[in-house]
Amino acid sequence: MSNSISQDVRALWLRLRADGGWWTLDMLMHHWKRSCSPHEVQHLMDALEAGGFVESRDHATNLSYGVTLDCKALPGLAPPPSQPEGTQ
């Protein structure tokens, strides 16, 4: 995946890392590229998860994504900052 990481993907990953928490596909669509279909965003998030750059959790009926301390940093970017225990 590292060869195909666009500036948009980097911006999305950085937003997830900076804002923290867990993001559903609907939330990601609203804050990222509105020209992308839900299927395209799902494919991107699947690829990021497969690469270890994000984690997913099943919250009731929605799958959510986040960047945790266990996630890898995208190539060329610093790893997620450590957080005080209990704030994740």
Side-chain angles (χ1 to χ4, degrees):
M1 168 153 202
S2 62
N3 292 337
S4 64
I5 297 174
S6 70
Q7 292 295 76
D8 288 334
V9 172
R10 288 169 106 64
L12 176 64
W13 185 85
L14 286 167
R15 177 178 207 105
L16 287 170
R17 184 182 75 173
D19 290 352
W22 296 93
W23 294 65
T24 65
L25 285 179
D26 287 340
M27 293 166 67
L28 292 169
M29 297 269 311
H30 180 72
H31 289 284
W32 191 45
K33 290 173 63 175
R34 296 171 195 228
S35 62
C36 288
S37 72
H39 176 74
E40 290 172 307
V41 176
Q42 179 68 63
H43 181 70
L44 168 65
M45 296 312 296
D46 289 345
L48 287 171
E49 184 176 18
F53 303 110
V54 299
E55 289 186 22
S56 68
R57 289 190 180 168
D58 192 2
H59 289 224
T61 60
N62 287 323
L63 193 60
S64 300
Y65 298 92
V67 176
T68 68
L69 294 176
D70 295 328
C71 293
K72 296 180 196 175
L74 289 179
L77 296 176
S82 60
Q83 299 173 356
E85 195 171 316
T87 61
Q88 201 173 9

